[in-house]
Short mmCIF file of all heavy atoms in Angstrom, two decimals:
data_model
loop_
_atom_site.label_atom_id
_atom_site.label_comp_id
_atom_site.label_asym_id
_atom_site.label_seq_id
_atom_site.Cartn_x
_atom_site.Cartn_y
_atom_site.Cartn_z
N LYS O 38 129.27 119.83 90.84
CA LYS O 38 129.20 118.44 90.48
C LYS O 38 129.76 117.56 91.60
O LYS O 38 129.30 116.36 91.82
CB LYS O 38 129.94 118.11 89.16
CG LYS O 38 129.16 118.69 88.02
CD LYS O 38 129.83 118.21 86.69
CE LYS O 38 129.02 118.70 85.44
NZ LYS O 38 129.55 118.19 84.26
N LYS O 39 130.67 118.03 92.33
CA LYS O 39 131.25 117.35 93.47
C LYS O 39 131.24 118.11 94.69
O LYS O 39 132.28 118.52 95.18
CB LYS O 39 132.69 116.89 93.14
CG LYS O 39 132.83 115.92 92.01
CD LYS O 39 134.29 115.47 91.78
CE LYS O 39 134.37 114.49 90.65
NZ LYS O 39 135.76 113.98 90.40
N PRO O 40 130.05 118.38 95.21
CA PRO O 40 129.93 119.19 96.46
C PRO O 40 130.48 118.49 97.65
O PRO O 40 130.35 117.29 97.83
CB PRO O 40 128.36 119.45 96.57
CG PRO O 40 127.81 118.29 95.89
CD PRO O 40 128.74 117.92 94.76
N ASP O 41 130.89 119.30 98.60
CA ASP O 41 131.43 118.85 99.98
C ASP O 41 130.11 119.01 100.83
O ASP O 41 129.87 120.05 101.24
CB ASP O 41 132.52 119.61 100.44
CG ASP O 41 133.07 119.18 101.79
OD1 ASP O 41 132.25 118.59 102.65
OD2 ASP O 41 134.25 119.30 102.11
N PHE O 42 129.45 117.83 101.16
CA PHE O 42 128.21 117.86 101.84
C PHE O 42 128.38 118.44 103.28
O PHE O 42 127.51 119.12 103.76
CB PHE O 42 127.64 116.45 101.79
CG PHE O 42 127.32 115.96 100.49
CD1 PHE O 42 128.01 114.81 100.01
CD2 PHE O 42 126.40 116.55 99.65
CE1 PHE O 42 127.76 114.28 98.72
CE2 PHE O 42 126.15 116.09 98.44
CZ PHE O 42 126.86 114.90 97.92
N ARG O 43 129.48 118.15 103.88
CA ARG O 43 129.66 118.69 105.18
C ARG O 43 129.86 120.23 105.11
O ARG O 43 129.29 120.96 105.98
CB ARG O 43 130.88 118.13 105.85
CG ARG O 43 130.78 116.55 106.16
CD ARG O 43 131.93 116.03 106.87
NE ARG O 43 131.83 114.63 107.17
CZ ARG O 43 132.69 113.93 107.81
NH1 ARG O 43 133.80 114.48 108.32
NH2 ARG O 43 132.45 112.62 107.98
N GLU O 44 130.52 120.70 104.08
CA GLU O 44 130.59 122.16 103.98
C GLU O 44 129.27 122.80 103.52
O GLU O 44 128.88 123.80 104.11
CB GLU O 44 131.59 122.48 102.79
CG GLU O 44 131.82 123.94 102.49
CD GLU O 44 132.75 124.28 101.34
OE1 GLU O 44 132.96 123.34 100.58
OE2 GLU O 44 133.05 125.49 101.16
N VAL O 45 128.57 122.20 102.78
CA VAL O 45 127.11 122.67 102.40
C VAL O 45 126.32 122.60 103.71
O VAL O 45 125.56 123.66 104.02
CB VAL O 45 126.45 121.67 101.34
CG1 VAL O 45 125.06 122.16 101.23
CG2 VAL O 45 127.15 121.83 100.08
N GLY O 46 126.42 121.61 104.56
CA GLY O 46 125.65 121.57 105.76
C GLY O 46 125.97 122.66 106.72
O GLY O 46 125.19 123.26 107.40
N SER O 47 127.31 122.89 106.77
CA SER O 47 127.89 123.87 107.68
C SER O 47 127.50 125.43 107.24
O SER O 47 127.08 126.19 108.07
CB SER O 47 129.44 123.76 107.83
OG SER O 47 129.89 124.79 108.58
N LYS O 48 127.61 125.64 106.00
CA LYS O 48 127.41 126.97 105.43
C LYS O 48 125.84 127.26 105.40
O LYS O 48 125.47 128.44 105.76
CB LYS O 48 127.93 127.17 104.07
CG LYS O 48 129.50 127.23 104.07
CD LYS O 48 130.03 127.60 102.73
CE LYS O 48 131.48 127.76 102.77
NZ LYS O 48 132.14 128.21 101.43
N LEU O 49 125.04 126.30 105.09
CA LEU O 49 123.59 126.53 104.94
C LEU O 49 122.84 126.21 106.29
O LEU O 49 121.65 126.31 106.37
CB LEU O 49 122.97 125.73 103.80
CG LEU O 49 123.66 126.17 102.42
CD1 LEU O 49 122.92 125.38 101.24
CD2 LEU O 49 123.69 127.60 102.13
N LYS O 50 123.60 125.53 107.24
CA LYS O 50 122.94 125.15 108.46
C LYS O 50 121.82 124.23 108.27
O LYS O 50 120.67 124.35 108.83
CB LYS O 50 122.56 126.41 109.31
CG LYS O 50 123.71 127.32 109.70
CD LYS O 50 123.22 128.43 110.56
CE LYS O 50 124.34 129.18 111.13
NZ LYS O 50 125.37 129.69 110.15
N VAL O 51 122.10 123.19 107.44
CA VAL O 51 121.07 122.16 107.21
C VAL O 51 121.69 120.74 107.51
O VAL O 51 122.88 120.54 107.52
CB VAL O 51 120.64 122.15 105.70
CG1 VAL O 51 119.82 123.43 105.35
CG2 VAL O 51 121.78 121.93 104.79
N LYS O 52 120.85 119.84 107.87
CA LYS O 52 121.21 118.52 108.39
C LYS O 52 121.15 117.56 107.26
O LYS O 52 121.65 116.34 107.43
CB LYS O 52 120.36 118.10 109.56
CG LYS O 52 120.45 119.02 110.76
CD LYS O 52 119.62 118.48 111.81
CE LYS O 52 119.76 119.42 113.12
NZ LYS O 52 118.82 118.90 114.20
N ALA O 53 120.53 117.90 106.12
CA ALA O 53 120.40 116.94 105.04
C ALA O 53 120.50 117.67 103.67
O ALA O 53 120.12 118.85 103.65
CB ALA O 53 119.12 116.15 105.10
N VAL O 54 120.97 116.94 102.61
CA VAL O 54 121.09 117.55 101.30
C VAL O 54 120.41 116.49 100.34
O VAL O 54 120.72 115.28 100.47
CB VAL O 54 122.61 117.76 100.93
CG1 VAL O 54 122.72 117.83 99.47
CG2 VAL O 54 123.10 118.97 101.64
N LEU O 55 119.54 117.02 99.53
CA LEU O 55 119.01 116.22 98.45
C LEU O 55 119.78 116.56 97.14
O LEU O 55 119.76 117.65 96.67
CB LEU O 55 117.52 116.52 98.29
CG LEU O 55 116.78 115.73 97.20
CD1 LEU O 55 116.66 114.24 97.54
CD2 LEU O 55 115.38 116.23 96.97
N ARG O 56 120.37 115.57 96.53
CA ARG O 56 121.00 115.71 95.37
C ARG O 56 120.54 114.68 94.40
O ARG O 56 119.83 113.61 94.73
CB ARG O 56 122.59 115.45 95.52
CG ARG O 56 122.94 113.98 95.90
CD ARG O 56 124.35 113.71 95.81
NE ARG O 56 124.89 113.94 94.46
CZ ARG O 56 126.13 113.62 94.10
NH1 ARG O 56 126.95 112.94 94.90
NH2 ARG O 56 126.54 113.87 92.86
N GLY O 57 120.71 115.00 93.09
CA GLY O 57 120.17 113.92 92.10
C GLY O 57 120.62 114.21 90.75
O GLY O 57 121.44 115.18 90.44
N SER O 58 120.21 113.44 89.80
CA SER O 58 120.49 113.60 88.33
C SER O 58 119.26 113.17 87.63
O SER O 58 118.39 112.43 88.07
CB SER O 58 121.65 112.68 87.96
OG SER O 58 121.39 111.40 88.20
N CYS O 59 119.07 113.71 86.41
CA CYS O 59 117.92 113.28 85.52
C CYS O 59 118.30 113.36 84.07
O CYS O 59 119.35 114.01 83.66
CB CYS O 59 116.69 114.22 85.86
SG CYS O 59 116.97 115.89 85.55
N ARG O 60 117.60 112.56 83.31
CA ARG O 60 117.75 112.52 81.90
C ARG O 60 116.40 112.45 81.28
O ARG O 60 115.57 111.55 81.64
CB ARG O 60 118.55 111.33 81.49
CG ARG O 60 118.88 111.16 80.03
CD ARG O 60 119.86 110.07 79.72
NE ARG O 60 119.17 108.74 79.89
CZ ARG O 60 119.41 107.90 80.89
NH1 ARG O 60 120.24 108.30 81.89
NH2 ARG O 60 118.86 106.77 80.93
N LYS O 61 116.10 113.38 80.42
CA LYS O 61 114.74 113.48 79.75
C LYS O 61 114.89 113.10 78.24
O LYS O 61 115.71 113.62 77.52
CB LYS O 61 114.21 114.86 79.97
CG LYS O 61 112.79 115.00 79.24
CD LYS O 61 112.26 116.46 79.68
CE LYS O 61 113.02 117.49 78.92
NZ LYS O 61 112.71 117.53 77.43
N SER O 62 114.05 112.24 77.86
CA SER O 62 113.83 111.91 76.42
C SER O 62 112.48 112.38 75.97
O SER O 62 111.74 113.06 76.71
CB SER O 62 114.00 110.41 76.20
OG SER O 62 112.84 109.73 76.85
N SER O 63 112.08 112.18 74.80
CA SER O 63 110.82 112.66 74.33
C SER O 63 109.67 112.07 74.95
O SER O 63 108.57 112.72 75.07
CB SER O 63 110.67 112.36 72.74
OG SER O 63 110.79 110.94 72.55
N GLN O 64 109.81 110.84 75.63
CA GLN O 64 108.68 110.24 76.18
C GLN O 64 108.92 109.78 77.67
O GLN O 64 107.96 109.53 78.40
CB GLN O 64 108.39 108.87 75.41
CG GLN O 64 107.95 109.10 73.96
CD GLN O 64 106.66 109.94 73.85
OE1 GLN O 64 105.83 109.83 74.74
NE2 GLN O 64 106.54 110.67 72.72
N LYS O 65 110.16 109.73 78.02
CA LYS O 65 110.49 109.14 79.40
C LYS O 65 111.34 110.17 80.22
O LYS O 65 112.05 110.90 79.57
CB LYS O 65 111.12 107.78 79.41
CG LYS O 65 110.15 106.67 79.04
CD LYS O 65 110.83 105.34 79.23
CE LYS O 65 109.84 104.13 78.98
NZ LYS O 65 108.79 104.20 80.00
N LEU O 66 111.25 109.93 81.50
CA LEU O 66 112.08 110.79 82.43
C LEU O 66 112.73 109.84 83.45
O LEU O 66 112.11 108.98 84.03
CB LEU O 66 111.24 111.75 83.16
CG LEU O 66 111.93 112.66 84.23
CD1 LEU O 66 112.91 113.55 83.54
CD2 LEU O 66 110.94 113.53 84.97
N HIS O 67 114.10 109.87 83.51
CA HIS O 67 114.91 109.04 84.40
C HIS O 67 115.49 109.95 85.49
O HIS O 67 116.19 110.94 85.16
CB HIS O 67 115.99 108.34 83.68
CG HIS O 67 115.57 107.57 82.45
ND1 HIS O 67 115.28 106.18 82.59
CD2 HIS O 67 115.24 107.93 81.22
CE1 HIS O 67 114.87 105.76 81.34
NE2 HIS O 67 114.82 106.79 80.47
N VAL O 68 115.19 109.63 86.74
CA VAL O 68 115.66 110.49 87.85
C VAL O 68 116.24 109.56 88.91
O VAL O 68 115.78 108.51 89.20
CB VAL O 68 114.48 111.20 88.44
CG1 VAL O 68 114.99 112.07 89.62
CG2 VAL O 68 113.79 112.04 87.39
N SER O 69 117.45 109.95 89.37
CA SER O 69 118.08 109.25 90.57
C SER O 69 118.36 110.28 91.65
O SER O 69 118.90 111.43 91.35
CB SER O 69 119.45 108.68 90.00
OG SER O 69 120.05 108.05 91.12
N LEU O 70 117.91 109.93 92.80
CA LEU O 70 117.99 110.85 93.92
C LEU O 70 118.64 110.32 95.21
O LEU O 70 118.56 109.04 95.41
CB LEU O 70 116.59 111.39 94.39
CG LEU O 70 115.81 112.15 93.28
CD1 LEU O 70 114.45 112.51 93.85
CD2 LEU O 70 116.59 113.47 93.02
N GLN O 71 119.29 111.12 95.94
CA GLN O 71 119.98 110.66 97.26
C GLN O 71 119.71 111.75 98.23
O GLN O 71 119.99 112.94 97.94
CB GLN O 71 121.43 110.39 97.07
CG GLN O 71 121.89 109.26 96.08
CD GLN O 71 123.26 109.14 95.93
OE1 GLN O 71 124.09 110.16 95.89
NE2 GLN O 71 123.81 107.92 95.89
N LEU O 72 119.40 111.33 99.46
CA LEU O 72 119.26 112.22 100.57
C LEU O 72 120.40 111.95 101.52
O LEU O 72 120.49 110.80 102.09
CB LEU O 72 117.94 111.94 101.28
CG LEU O 72 117.63 113.12 102.49
CD1 LEU O 72 117.31 114.43 101.86
CD2 LEU O 72 116.28 112.62 103.17
N ILE O 73 121.37 112.83 101.71
CA ILE O 73 122.59 112.64 102.39
C ILE O 73 122.61 113.42 103.74
O ILE O 73 122.29 114.61 103.76
CB ILE O 73 123.71 113.04 101.52
CG1 ILE O 73 123.76 112.12 100.24
CG2 ILE O 73 125.07 112.83 102.24
CD1 ILE O 73 124.73 112.53 99.10
N ASP O 74 123.11 112.75 104.78
CA ASP O 74 123.29 113.43 106.09
C ASP O 74 124.50 114.23 106.07
O ASP O 74 125.55 113.69 105.62
CB ASP O 74 123.41 112.40 107.18
CG ASP O 74 123.20 112.96 108.57
OD1 ASP O 74 123.97 113.88 108.91
OD2 ASP O 74 122.45 112.43 109.38
N THR O 75 124.43 115.54 106.39
CA THR O 75 125.54 116.34 106.22
C THR O 75 126.51 116.32 107.40
O THR O 75 127.61 116.88 107.40
CB THR O 75 125.11 117.90 106.19
OG1 THR O 75 124.33 118.21 107.27
CG2 THR O 75 124.29 118.06 104.90
N THR O 76 126.13 115.66 108.40
CA THR O 76 127.04 115.53 109.62
C THR O 76 128.12 114.55 109.38
O THR O 76 129.27 114.68 109.80
CB THR O 76 126.30 115.16 110.97
OG1 THR O 76 125.53 113.86 110.63
CG2 THR O 76 125.31 116.18 111.30
N ASP O 77 127.76 113.35 108.72
CA ASP O 77 128.75 112.32 108.49
C ASP O 77 128.74 111.82 107.06
O ASP O 77 129.55 110.87 106.72
CB ASP O 77 128.54 111.12 109.38
CG ASP O 77 127.16 110.51 109.29
OD1 ASP O 77 126.39 110.95 108.32
OD2 ASP O 77 126.74 109.71 110.19
N GLY O 78 127.95 112.42 106.17
CA GLY O 78 128.04 111.95 104.82
C GLY O 78 127.27 110.66 104.49
O GLY O 78 127.39 110.16 103.39
N SER O 79 126.55 110.14 105.56
CA SER O 79 125.84 108.85 105.35
C SER O 79 124.60 109.07 104.52
O SER O 79 124.07 110.22 104.33
CB SER O 79 125.44 108.26 106.64
OG SER O 79 124.58 109.16 107.38
#
């Protein structure tokens, strides 16, 4: 739930991380997404 993006980038050797959240009801889907730079967290 609270990942260290720099650690993720270092361990997986990736430059970006896609994180998000979603909530599904019977008729609708709510999704929030962020693409974060693992070098500086921007």
Side-chain angles (χ1 to χ4, degrees):
K38 289 191 175 182
K39 293 183 179 179
D41 183 328
F42 300 114
R43 293 185 182 182
E44 181 185 9
V45 172
S47 175
K48 288 188 174 181
L49 301 184
K50 295 181 173 59
V51 293
K52 297 179 180 179
V54 163
L55 181 68
R56 66 170 301 189
S58 61
C59 59
R60 184 175 69 257
K61 179 176 71 70
S62 65
S63 59
Q64 299 296 329
K65 285 190 175 293
L66 179 62
H67 305 264
V68 179
S69 177
L70 297 176
Q71 294 178 323
L72 187 67
I73 299 170
D74 194 307
T75 58
T76 58
D77 57 10
S79 62

